[in-house]
Amino acid sequence: MNRIVSGLFRVSIVLVMAFITLPLIVVMAASLSPSSQVTLVPWEWTVRWYGDLVARRWIDPFILSAQIAVLVSWISGVLGLLAAYVVAFEKCPGHAAIMSFLLSPLAVPQVVKGLSIVLFLSSAGLYPMAR
């Protein structure tokens, strides 16, 4: 019995991994399409689009984005470290308010996810919203 469960577990893991990676494989295959329309004809594949990525038109914005990302990472890291130190070791006035402000970004994705689920169910007619 244990061997059957183990085999089913491995099969389910393989199926989940295939479900996760299959869209990525399709997108990568579609990126080899010779035209701007997606075609999955292997004998027409080309790397033309990847060659266009190294053009100066795309390199300059990429470098600017990378510089901005490094700068923002350093600034947010230093500010986050200082804020964590103050909240953890220095009991300042408004300690609870500062802590809730600093932790508020953790709640935002959950609120957005909940709102999007309600809107989806409402548009599908499965969750009637009061109007």
Side-chain angles (χ1 to χ4, degrees):
M1 182 68 181
N2 193 17
R3 199 169 212 183
I4 294 172
V5 172
S6 177
L8 288 175
F9 177 73
R10 288 184 179 162
V11 167
S12 66
I13 292 295
V14 168
L15 289 175
V16 167
M17 295 304 285
F19 180 75
I20 290 171
T21 57
L22 190 61
L24 179 64
I25 293 170
V26 170
V27 168
M28 289 177 63
S31 74
L32 298 171
S33 175
S35 66
S36 60
Q37 295 179 344
V38 175
T39 58
L40 295 175
V41 183
W43 54 85
E44 294 180 357
W45 284 353
T46 179
V47 291
R48 174 182 154 220
W49 304 113
Y50 293 104
D52 288 347
L53 283 176
V54 295
R56 199 73 188 154
R57 173 182 172 204
W58 297 109
I59 296 295
D60 289 339
F62 175 76
I63 291 172
L64 179 64
S65 295
Q67 290 172 342
I68 292 172
V70 168
L71 180 67
V72 168
S73 296
W74 274 98
I75 291 172
S76 63
V78 168
L79 290 177
L81 182 70
L82 293 174
Y85 179 80
V86 168
V87 170
F89 297 113
E90 305 290 331
K91 298 301 179 192
C92 58
H95 171 78
I98 294 171
M99 182 67 110
S100 61
F101 174 74
L102 293 174
L103 293 176
S104 64
L106 295 175
V108 172
Q110 302 304 323
V111 172
V112 170
K113 185 176 14 174
L115 182 64
S116 62
I117 289 171
V118 167
L119 290 175
F120 172 75
L121 292 176
S122 173
S123 67
L126 300 173
Y127 185 81
M129 293 181 63
R131 295 184 189 225

